[in-house]
Amino acid sequence: MTKSFSTLVLALTASVCLAQKEVVLTNHAADKKVEVTIDGKPFTAYFYPGPDVLKKAVLYPLRTVNGTDITRGWPINPRPGERVDHPHHVGMWLNYEDANGHDFWNNSLSVNHAKNTYGTIVHTGIKSIKSGKKQGELTVTADWLDKNGGLMLTETTTYVFKGDDQTRTVDRITTLTAKTDVTFKDVKDGFFAIRVARELEHPSDKPEVFTDASGIATKVPVMNNAGVTGSYRNSEGVEGEAVWSKRAKWCNLRGKMGNETVNLVIIDHPKNVGYPTYWHARGYGLFAANPLGQKIFSNGAEELNLKLKKGESTTFRYRTVIASESLSDAQINTITADFAKTK
């Protein structure tokens, strides 16, 4: 076999392996969710049960091509051995700790609403659902409400779902429009986030304290690290928990779930405010990009208080890739360059 013919065969093989699969979106209005299947397999669901259950809509759960759930089950569907901290960490979501003094990030049914000023994000509608041979799209709307139910921001979000033989991809494009003057104060907790399964956490080698949904603190001398294999790496080559408070174009959480290699990558977009984002990525399972909280991450060297006048809008774009294989920096850089072309 000649070298040129061999190269052609490899290229054709790769193109077949990476062919995009059919994506089907199904609206289950009674259950308040839109299910997403790729190549006939369950992938995720847009879940909008309302503020009596969750204080924002989420994508939950998220699965690999093999059906492995890479998101934490608790508090919706608890699994043995999971942490039961931070009940507001559910699936994939986007919100913020301080918009006009209202905390959207920490709001849940488990907090005392009399002690702090919490805001709520309420799903208001499904604008469009599109299934397709190579991708599916879902566009939804929501209202960001203050503690008295006053409208602060309207949200329009489009999710783009894709998949091939090895990967699942979600693009989230969210436009926020101010209905009154809004200031996103520079704080730590935000913005675009996923809470991952126990297996993708960093192994913990020190005593910790976790608080459950009832506010009861449990002291854990050392966590059981059996099957816990997570490790971060960002676009600048920073490894492990050191990615926290670092700017980067992307961050990759690598690990094993059973016999399956998993790479979970979140990619920032050049048009986003604060690009390249700071990463609020924690070893205990919170994987978040926060472009708006610069002061704490830069140790006071930078500060960003994003202000929107009434009627002004800003758009945030993030790509998430779930791969059942190891992804090299070069591969992720190629995906990142492709995502940068998104308007």
Side-chain angles (χ1 to χ4, degrees), residues 47-305:
F47 187 45
Y48 56 101
D52 291 340
V53 178
L54 289 175
K55 300 299 182 178
K56 72 270 187 179
V58 298
L59 288 189
Y60 174 88
L62 293 165
R63 301 180 180 92
T64 69
V65 296
N66 297 315
T68 303
D69 185 348
I70 59 96
T71 40
R72 180 178 68 168
W74 189 85
I76 295 176
N77 184 27
R79 295 192 291 265
E82 289 187 321
R83 301 182 192 265
V84 291
D85 59 284
H86 301 84
H88 50 282
H89 292 176
V90 179
M92 174 194 286
W93 73 96
L94 184 152
N95 60 14
Y96 197 60
E97 182 186 358
D98 192 329
N100 283 3
H102 287 73
D103 184 352
F104 291 88
W105 177 270
N106 291 290
N107 197 2
S108 77
L109 298 178
S110 302
V111 298
N112 186 337
H113 288 81
K115 288 186 177 181
N116 292 72
T117 303
Y118 292 101
T120 303
I121 302 174
V122 179
H123 165 90
T124 55
I126 297 173
K127 293 185 67 175
S128 66
I129 297 177
K130 299 177 182 177
S131 300
K133 294 296 183 182
K134 295 185 177 181
Q135 68 177 46
E137 293 186 15
L138 171 67
T139 300
V140 295
T141 58
D143 288 343
W144 291 46
L145 305 178
D146 66 22
K147 64 178 182 179
N148 298 316
L151 181 59
M152 292 173 52
L153 298 149
T154 57
E155 172 185 327
T156 300
T157 293
T158 295
Y159 297 96
V160 181
F161 305 100
K162 296 180 182 179
D164 57 37
D165 285 337
Q166 292 296 324
T167 65
R168 297 289 184 258
T169 300
V170 183
D171 290 353
R172 175 172 180 151
I173 301 95
T174 294
T175 298
L176 300 176
T177 301
K179 294 303 178 179
T180 184
D181 292 354
V182 177
T183 298
F184 295 86
K185 185 179 178 181
D186 190 320
V187 289
K188 172 175 66 68
D189 284 337
F191 177 65
F192 174 73
I194 302 172
R195 182 60 191 260
V196 302
R198 174 74 177 130
E199 294 92 331
L200 295 180
E201 296 176 15
H202 275 244
S204 174
D205 59 1
K206 61 182 182 298
E208 300 187 59
V209 177
F210 301 104
T211 304
D212 67 15
S214 301
I216 300 173
T218 301
K219 294 181 179 180
V220 182
V222 176
M223 292 291 291
N224 180 358
N225 289 320
V228 179
T229 63
S231 179
Y232 291 109
R233 178 179 173 83
N234 72 18
S235 60
E236 311 311 300
V238 179
E239 297 266 358
E241 293 193 69
V243 300
W244 188 86
S245 79
K246 304 297 191 304
R247 284 189 183 273
K249 298 175 183 177
W250 53 260
C251 193
N252 182 15
L253 177 56
R254 306 154 297 174
K256 296 273 288 187
M257 298 190 71
N259 294 322
E260 185 175 3
T261 295
V262 176
N263 278 210
L264 172 61
V265 187
I266 299 177
I267 301 171
D268 197 12
H269 193 283
K271 291 184 178 179
N272 287 348
V273 171
Y275 177 86
T277 186
Y278 280 102
W279 292 89
H280 183 27
R282 295 297 202 183
Y284 67 79
L286 172 65
F287 187 7
N290 184 3
L292 305 182
Q294 300 188 5
K295 188 173 183 179
I296 189 170
F297 298 131
S298 68
N299 199 25
E302 300 175 286
E303 185 170 356
L304 173 63
N305 293 292

Side-chain angles (χ1 to χ4, degrees), residues 10-61:
L10 289 172
L12 290 172
T13 301
S15 67
V16 171
C17 291
L18 297 177
Q20 295 297 307
K21 303 299 184 179
E22 182 177 21
V23 181
V24 176
L25 280 66
T26 306
N27 186 12
H28 297 278
D31 297 326
K32 296 185 177 180
K33 64 180 180 180
V34 178
E35 288 190 328
V36 182
T37 62
I38 300 179
D39 196 23
K41 304 172 186 176
F43 169 46
T44 189
Y46 173 74
F47 187 45
Y48 56 101
D52 291 340
V53 178
L54 289 175
K55 300 299 182 178
K56 72 270 187 179
V58 298
L59 288 189
Y60 174 88

